[in-house]
Amino acid sequence: MKRRPFIKLSSAATAGSALLPVTKWLPDEKIKNWAGNIIYSTSSVAYPKTQEEVQAFIKNHAKLKILGTRHCFNRIADSKDYLLSTKQLNKVISLDTQAHTVTVEGGIKYGELAPYLHEKGYALPNLASLPHISVAGSITTATHGSGVENGNLATPVVGLEIVTADGQVHTFTKEKDSDTFNGVVVGLGALGLITKVTLALQPTFQMRQFVYERLPMDQLKNNFEKIVSAGYSVSLFTDWQNNSINEVWIKSRLDDAANSNAKPNFYGATAATKNLHPIAEVSAENCTEQMGVPGPWHERLPHFKMGFTPSSGVELQSEYFVPREQAMEAIQAIARLGKQISPHLFISEIRTIAADNFWLSPCYQRPSVALHFTWKQDWPAVSKLLPIIEKELAPFNARPHWGKLFTVSPQVLASRYDKFADFKKLVAQYDPNGKFRNEFLNSTIFSS
């Protein structure tokens, strides 16, 4: 989008923040999220370049929210007052080759960080389906990739710094802060701005991926664990129109001898003969390389390339996490809704995530399977479908993705998180006056 010249609001900025211009776009230049379904309630955005600028702005404003790469589909990052963008907080601060960790500013994107790590001989254990998202935004919402032994993107975090409501910097580490650390990491933006993150690393590795088409649902039912464990990272795509999985994406390390070549038959599915997009009608140009072509981890773990528009682009997203041992029951429950769902759907993705100990992670203390829905951008229709889906998934205590669309009530959400009350107390400790709260947090977290 071509932007018009902006107006600096230096006269309107509060004392102490003059060093940090706030930009305001002209009225027709509304700020939207990545998919365009959310127009933010303010067009006043600060773009700090240093931690000191972050501290000054937060200290001198009564209400604000943190804005990352704008990949959330609900109003978790919205504000009627001010937005503080992490766009320019995107540097690698240090690489510790002794501790095998990297410390970065929270606004850096995985697509920027990963090539740097690979060049230095390191890797992260997993990535999400697209590399366009920021580190801080991903970990604070428990965003994830796939793999039965892979946790969400917050699991490599061993330390972080947060500027809280009083403008002070607080450091939390996995080693020293024990249980509090687990409450802070997946913080939903409620505690402040994450300025620095320290991530544990592993040696870099090469990968390949093969795609298989038309996996019979009966085969999935009878061999679920074997299928989702068939590679380092496995994704199942379906539109729920037929009694089958449209595509199975298996991403494997090069040292995985079992997946060195495509199998002619994978539990009744056949090997693809060309690169595919998860949405059959869309060109695979934007997708990472398939057909077993080797490449570095960061060019195979995501589904989409950094330089291209991922997925459909103009879409809505919802996602629900269920216990892995109940995955097939949940999948079958959704399959029964196929005729209702499919007219409004681009594609669904089914992924596995290992358990973790973060208080508000949807995978808190339970290995999980995520049922993801990429919807056509028709909110009136989707808003009617979500309660139906949530009712079907209620027996499995499904937890929704915090950054996507859902209608689960605050009372039900609270009942599905053992540490819900503890999290609210933690937020009150660091933000007693609700500086970082907004309508989403007030209605979803603090009304229960």
Side-chain angles (χ1 to χ4, degrees), residues 127-430:
L127 292 172
S129 60
L130 62 156
H132 308 65
I133 52 181
S134 69
V135 170
S138 300
I139 66 176
T140 203
T141 54
T143 296
H144 62 95
S146 189
V148 294
E149 296 182 2
N150 298 324
N152 65 45
L153 300 189
T155 52
V157 177
V158 293
L160 70 171
E161 287 187 4
I162 299 179
V163 178
T164 54
D166 57 2
Q168 299 301 305
V169 178
H170 294 265
T171 301
F172 301 90
T173 68
K174 185 176 183 178
E175 181 180 3
K176 295 180 181 178
D177 293 292
S178 185
D179 204 31
T180 301
F181 177 81
N182 289 327
V184 167
V185 176
V186 180
L188 311 184
L191 291 117
L193 189 148
I194 301 173
T195 51
K196 298 179 184 178
V197 182
T198 300
L199 301 164
L201 303 174
Q202 61 187 54
T204 192
F205 55 96
Q206 296 280 311
M207 300 191 76
R208 59 166 58 95
Q209 61 179 332
F210 291 109
V211 175
Y212 298 89
E213 299 184 83
R214 297 177 296 278
L215 173 76
M217 196 65 79
D218 284 345
Q219 288 283 1
L220 184 65
K221 177 182 177 182
N222 296 330
N223 301 283
F224 180 81
E225 283 296 325
K226 291 179 180 178
I227 289 170
V228 297
S229 304
Y232 186 88
S233 171
V234 175
S235 291
L236 312 175
F237 293 97
T238 181
D239 56 12
W240 308 104
Q241 291 188 31
N242 301 298
N243 195 28
S244 66
I245 298 296
N246 300 29
E247 299 174 14
V248 180
W249 290 36
I250 300 177
K251 304 168 187 279
S252 302
R253 294 174 59 119
L254 249 60
D255 55 12
D256 178 3
N259 287 301
S260 58
N261 294 292
K263 301 172 179 64
N265 184 291
F266 179 77
Y267 294 96
T270 56
T273 57
K274 63 179 182 179
N275 285 356
L276 298 177
H277 190 284
I279 304 170
E281 302 80 25
V282 179
S283 166
E285 179 186 7
N286 297 3
C287 298
T288 50
E289 195 66 39
Q290 301 161 29
M291 305 302 295
V293 177
W297 57 279
H298 64 92
E299 294 181 0
R300 296 296 179 271
L301 280 170
H303 300 330
F304 303 102
K305 300 173 185 174
M306 178 63 179
F308 293 81
T309 300
S311 192
S312 169
V314 180
E315 63 193 55
L316 303 176
Q317 292 186 11
S318 301
E319 188 170 35
Y320 301 92
F321 299 73
V322 300
R324 200 167 101 200
E325 67 268 19
Q326 296 178 296
M328 269 315 305
E329 294 174 69
I331 291 168
Q332 290 173 311
I334 299 302
R336 290 192 289 269
L337 300 175
K339 289 183 178 180
Q340 291 176 261
I341 290 173
S342 59
H344 307 285
L345 187 73
F346 282 120
I347 201 70
S348 275
E349 182 178 8
I350 300 168
R351 289 178 284 179
T352 58
I353 311 97
D356 60 63
N357 291 309
F358 303 121
W359 293 358
L360 286 196
S361 166
C363 303
Y364 176 73
Q365 294 190 348
R366 70 183 197 191
S368 299
V369 167
L371 307 178
H372 181 277
F373 302 85
T374 300
W375 302 104
K376 297 172 184 177
Q377 204 170 87
D378 181 357
W379 175 238
V382 172
S383 65
K384 294 176 182 177
L385 285 171
L386 294 185
I388 297 171
I389 290 171
E390 290 163 3
K391 182 179 180 181
E392 290 298 317
L393 296 179
F396 315 108
N397 290 315
R399 299 166 177 167
H401 191 299
W402 291 108
K404 300 183 181 180
L405 297 166
F406 60 89
T407 63
V408 180
S409 73
Q411 293 73 25
V412 171
L413 277 176
S415 71
R416 293 179 183 175
Y417 285 91
D418 295 342
K419 290 286 201 174
F420 204 86
D422 294 308
F423 178 76
K424 292 166 67 173
K425 292 177 183 177
L426 184 67
V427 173
Q429 179 182 346
Y430 289 97

Side-chain angles (χ1 to χ4, degrees), residues 67-135:
L67 190 65
T69 46
R70 296 180 293 165
H71 194 256
C72 289
F73 292 80
N74 57 35
R75 294 193 176 274
I76 190 171
D78 193 22
S79 173
K80 296 178 180 178
D81 302 284
Y82 291 98
L83 295 168
L84 191 59
S85 171
T86 64
K87 184 176 182 179
Q88 298 189 66
L89 299 170
N90 62 349
K91 303 174 189 65
V92 175
I93 297 171
S94 64
L95 178 67
D96 190 330
T97 57
Q98 298 298 313
H100 305 293
T101 61
V102 66
T103 299
V104 299
E105 292 182 325
I108 195 169
K109 298 175 183 177
Y110 285 96
E112 299 166 338
L113 173 60
Y116 167 84
L117 293 177
H118 176 65
E119 182 182 335
K120 299 295 183 181
Y122 291 99
L124 294 167
N126 209 1
L127 292 172
S129 60
L130 62 156
H132 308 65
I133 52 181
S134 69
V135 170

Side-chain angles (χ1 to χ4, degrees), residues 16 19-21 47-58 84:
L19 56 88
L20 181 60
Y47 295 89
K49 296 181 180 179
T50 67
Q51 184 167 273
E52 290 73 22
E53 290 179 350
V54 170
Q55 290 178 267
F57 190 87
I58 289 178
L84 191 59

